[in-house]
Amino acid sequence: MRAERSDEELMLLFKQGSRDAFEELFARHHRRIIHFCYRMTGDQARAEEAAQEIFLRIARAASTYQPTAKFTTWAYQVARRTTLNYLRDEKDGAEKVPIPVGEEQDDGSPAPALRGPETLDPERMAWGAEVRDRMLAALRELPEGYRSALILAGAEGLSYQEAATVLGITVQAVKSRVFRAREMLLARLPETLR
Amino acid sequence: MECRELGEALSAYMDGEAGSPEAGIVEAHLAGCASCRVLLGRMREAEDSLARIEAQVPDEFRETLLARLEKEELLPRRRSLFVFSVRWLAVPAAAAAALALFLLTSRESGVNLGKGPEPPARVAQGPPSAAAHGAGAPAAKEASPVRNGSAVAVTAPEGSVAAAAGELSGEEREIVAWLELLENPVVLEEGGDVDEMEIFSAPKKDRG
């Protein structure tokens, strides 16, 4: 039995003109890409459009693809840049907290404002469309830099190193952004859930 | 480490990204701090909720994308297997049908094609001798008109048609010979000056 080809091998085959290779890559990764777009934009229609555009860009860039980078890392870079275009019309109010200049060196932060555990009681937070919508609304309140770091390193399961590569920042900056995104999210969720 | 200093380390610890010394510090702190344990629980809960947010993937998503890629010529078009097989089956099938019709309706003897090292079929020049004797001598054998009037003999490898020759009529042996010729077009090429299209055209009936 032939061993399964790696993503990088498939991308090289597609670069040489193999349709099957591209279809295999699509089958492996289209769900994670569209889920990423949805978490970033909070909108189903935009997520579909963005995901289509991402695969188109991947196909267009195939001729320049080099297997030095992990395929998923490269794909997420394309995905992040593409979704930024779909976030341009976000309300100015969403960018409430700018990322401090030089935050990569910032190693001190005030403890998050703790809320009582009853505000996030699992019995009260039964999963449903309402909770999902409130989570998405809270995510949209986050600056894009924090939001993307949280989604990549959290929900998407990338390592901090991979997320750093995607975002073009240091691992320490990823660590800091992820924590601050969680602080902000927890601060907003109790309000939206009331 | 104070709680206010632990937040970032706690977050990294939850993601499995805290190094050995840091992870040890966090675990020691958690063992004695209920509020940080609560905070860790809330972060995990929010993370689980975030991971459960998924888009719907429309049924047509894949086909829409592939169509766009084909339109931009970024993806080779996939040929329909049905079209492919029909196309490649149609040529010999149509040729065989046309030949069969030609030979069955023709009352002339078969066309002789150029001799090669292994000519495919021995064509009966007229009805079998037994039938000829019984039914009376047929019309004189005559080659079908070819481009330059040259006759080309078609013979079959030993054993291919000969075994069945005794069971087939002269016309049937001709049909078999032509079908075998389609499978072995080398003879046509070796003939050189034979217009292949002449093979499929209706013969000029010349009753002498």
Side-chain angles (χ1 to χ4, degrees), chain A residues 19-20 44 154 160 172 182, chain B residues 11 15 47 56 70 76 78:
Chain A
R19 178 185 175 115
D20 286 345
Q44 174 67 32
Y160 281 13
Q172 178 56 44
R182 285 174 173 148
Chain B
S11 174
D15 292 332
E47 197 65 26
Q56 298 293 320
E70 287 174 357
R78 187 180 296 285

Side-chain angles (χ1 to χ4, degrees), chain A residues 14 17 19-20 22-23 26 30-31 34-35 38-39 44 48 51-53 55-56 59-60 109-112 114-115 117 120 122 125 127 132 135-136 139 150 154-155 159-160 172 175-176 178-179 182 186 189-190, chain B residues 3-15 17-18 22 35-36 38-39 42-43 45-58 60-62 64-66 68-70 72 74-78:
Chain A
F14 172 57
R19 178 185 175 115
D20 286 345
F22 181 86
E23 292 193 15
F26 174 85
H30 73 283
R31 290 190 181 277
I34 196 171
H35 294 334
Y38 185 56
R39 290 163 185 154
Q44 174 67 32
E48 289 176 34
Q52 290 268 331
E53 184 63 25
F55 279 103
L56 279 168
R60 289 174 192 145
S109 61
L114 296 178
R115 302 253 177 190
L120 285 176
M125 282 186 68
W127 183 258
R132 178 201 65 206
M135 281 289 294
L136 288 172
L139 276 171
L150 177 63
S159 68
Y160 281 13
Q172 178 56 44
K175 187 178 180 181
S176 179
V178 169
F179 172 62
R182 285 174 173 148
L186 291 179
L189 276 175
Chain B
C3 294
R4 60 192 297 273
E5 300 171 325
L6 198 70
E8 196 172 286
L10 197 61
S11 174
Y13 174 79
M14 188 182 86
D15 292 332
E17 293 279 351
E22 191 176 54
S35 62
C36 282
V38 167
L39 175 58
R42 291 177 61 215
M43 288 198 295
E45 199 168 30
E47 197 65 26
D48 289 342
S49 297
L50 179 59
R52 293 172 69 180
I53 296 176
E54 292 185 345
Q56 298 293 320
V57 183
E60 67 277 11
F61 184 86
R62 176 179 177 275
T64 300
L65 173 67
L66 295 182
R68 292 177 69 179
L69 290 169
E70 287 174 357
E72 289 196 26
L74 295 170
L75 204 64
R77 292 181 185 273
R78 187 180 296 285

Side-chain angles (χ1 to χ4, degrees), chain B residues 75-137:
Chain B
L75 204 64
R77 292 181 185 273
R78 187 180 296 285
R79 286 189 171 201
S80 162
L81 185 62
F82 174 75
V83 171
F84 179 84
S85 58
V86 167
R87 178 181 302 173
W88 285 103
L89 289 175
V91 172
L99 270 180
L101 186 64
F102 163 69
L103 294 172
L104 287 172
T105 56
S106 172
R107 294 187 179 275
E108 304 302 325
S109 56
V111 175
N112 290 328
L113 300 180
K115 293 182 180 180
E118 294 182 355
R122 186 178 300 281
V123 178
Q125 300 300 308
S129 56
H133 286 307

Side-chain angles (χ1 to χ4, degrees), chain A residues 89-105:
Chain A
D89 59 349
E90 275 190 347
K91 294 179 181 180
D92 292 339
E95 296 289 331
K96 292 176 181 176
V97 179
I99 300 172
V101 175
E103 70 148 353
E104 292 82 359
Q105 288 76 43

Side-chain angles (χ1 to χ4, degrees), chain A residues 32-172:
Chain A
R32 73 167 65 188
I33 292 294
I34 196 171
H35 294 334
F36 171 79
C37 294
Y38 185 56
R39 290 163 185 154
M40 286 293 291
T41 64
D43 183 84
Q44 174 67 32
R46 287 189 186 182
E48 289 176 34
E49 288 178 32
Q52 290 268 331
E53 184 63 25
I54 288 162
F55 279 103
L56 279 168
R57 290 184 176 195
I58 287 174
R60 289 174 192 145
S63 60
T64 61
Y65 173 76
Q66 295 296 327
T68 53
K70 191 177 173 185
F71 173 79
T72 48
T73 303
W74 178 65
Y76 274 118
Q77 284 178 320
V78 176
R80 192 228 170 181
R81 290 180 200 141
T82 303
T83 54
L84 283 177
N85 293 333
Y86 289 84
L87 299 176
R88 284 177 184 169
D89 59 349
E90 275 190 347
K91 294 179 181 180
D92 292 339
E95 296 289 331
K96 292 176 181 176
V97 179
I99 300 172
V101 175
E103 70 148 353
E104 292 82 359
Q105 288 76 43
D106 183 12
D107 59 357
S109 61
L114 296 178
R115 302 253 177 190
E118 67 278 3
T119 57
L120 285 176
D121 185 350
E123 293 182 4
R124 294 178 58 196
M125 282 186 68
W127 183 258
E130 185 180 350
V131 175
R132 178 201 65 206
D133 293 344
R134 287 178 173 173
M135 281 289 294
L136 288 172
L139 276 171
R140 283 199 296 273
E141 293 287 310
L142 305 182
E144 187 277 329
Y146 287 163
R147 190 189 325 167
S148 55
L150 177 63
I151 291 172
L152 288 169
E156 300 296 323
L158 270 65
S159 68
Y160 281 13
Q161 179 61 62
E162 288 175 316
T165 303
V166 172
L167 298 171
I169 58 178
T170 65
V171 172
Q172 178 56 44

